[in-house]
């Protein structure tokens, strides 16, 4: 927790009681036509078995007792209209950026006075920060360049590359 380790920022924190569906709706307010947000939810050990991708719907509710993730891009169905996947070929727009491993690999103080849209502690002393874009970026090359620029600037874990990245949702477990 911040303040218990000298390498971790003592930045003040607050906690909101927000459900995953409210969190997703706040981020994906300007989703392009025929595009969908994507989540993955899995109980227990995330290393065991596969992950099931789900297209976000207004009535969707995810278990609080599962590993819950949200993709930071929206996607369309395949050309045949039958398949929904998180792939570059089906990319429609990027809606937020994520800074990963703040507090452990990247000092939170690197943010200076910048206030991210949210900060989620994913494991003790390790955080993901989200930055909601005012307008989604629909140009895939521009989105890829922006994500790569964050990594090159040392503000994100190099494993966070690509426009099909997953971010932890605020309610769930870290299995």
């Amino acid at each position: 927790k911040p303040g218990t380790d000298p390498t971790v920022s003592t930045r003040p924190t607050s906690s909101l009681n927000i459900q995953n569906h409210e969190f997703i709706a706040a981020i994906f307010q300007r989703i392009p036509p025929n595009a969908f947000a994507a989540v993955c939810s899995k109980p227990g050990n995330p290393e065991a078995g596969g992950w099931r991708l789900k297209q976000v719907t207004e009535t969707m509710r995810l278990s609080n007792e599962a590993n819950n993730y949200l993709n930071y891009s929206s996607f369309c169905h395949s050309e045949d209209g039958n398949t929904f996947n998180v792939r570059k070929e089906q990319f429609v727009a990027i809606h937020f950026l994520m800074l990963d491993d703040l507090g452990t690999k990247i000092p939170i103080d690197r943010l200076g006075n910048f206030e991210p849209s949210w900060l989620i502690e994913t494991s003790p002393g390790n955080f993901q920060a989200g930055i909601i874009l005012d307008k989604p970026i629909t140009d895939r090359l521009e989105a890829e360049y922006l994500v790569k620029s964050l990594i090159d600037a040392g503000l994100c874990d190099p494993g966070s590359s690509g426009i099909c990245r997953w971010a932890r949702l605020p309610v769930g477990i870290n299995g």
Side-chain angles (χ1 to χ4, degrees):
K1 301 238 179 212
T4 60
D5 181 333
T7 64
V8 177
S9 172
T10 56
R11 177 186 294 245
T13 61
S14 64
S15 179
L16 296 176
N17 186 12
I18 186 168
Q19 296 301 309
N20 288 332
H21 66 278
E22 297 167 320
F23 185 82
I24 294 167
I27 295 170
F28 287 87
Q29 291 182 21
R30 293 178 184 91
I31 195 160
N34 301 316
F36 302 92
V39 295
C40 276
S41 182
K42 181 178 183 179
N45 181 353
E47 305 276 328
W51 286 77
R52 284 197 42 213
L53 169 71
K54 297 177 186 177
Q55 177 179 309
V56 172
T57 65
E58 287 184 31
T59 59
M60 172 181 278
R61 297 297 181 266
L62 301 171
S63 169
N64 294 352
E65 300 302 317
N67 298 279
N68 294 316
Y69 292 88
L70 174 67
N71 200 287
Y72 57 44
S73 296
S74 58
F75 302 88
C76 63
H77 286 266
S78 61
E79 286 186 25
D80 65 10
N82 295 325
T83 309
F84 180 71
N85 281 314
V86 170
R87 294 194 174 136
K88 284 184 182 185
E89 298 79 32
Q90 290 173 252
F91 168 86
V92 176
I94 189 168
H95 297 263
F96 68 91
L97 301 172
M98 182 181 64
L99 308 179
D100 198 15
D101 290 335
L102 294 173
T104 54
K105 296 178 184 174
I106 302 163
I108 290 178
D109 291 339
R110 288 267 332 264
L111 297 180
N113 292 328
F114 178 78
E115 291 290 328
S117 303
W118 74 83
L119 189 65
I120 295 175
E121 188 170 22
T122 57
S123 59
N126 194 47
F127 297 84
Q128 284 183 347
I131 304 165
I132 300 172
L133 300 174
D134 183 47
K135 180 180 174 191
I137 297 171
T138 57
D139 181 289
R140 188 174 98 192
L141 293 176
E142 182 180 348
E144 288 173 333
Y145 179 79
L146 184 55
V147 171
K148 185 179 180 321
S149 295
L150 287 173
I151 294 167
D152 291 348
L155 291 168
C156 195
D157 177 2
S160 299
S161 64
I163 53 173
C164 300
R165 179 77 174 147
W166 296 95
R168 192 172 292 278
L169 281 165
V171 181
I173 65 167
N174 186 349

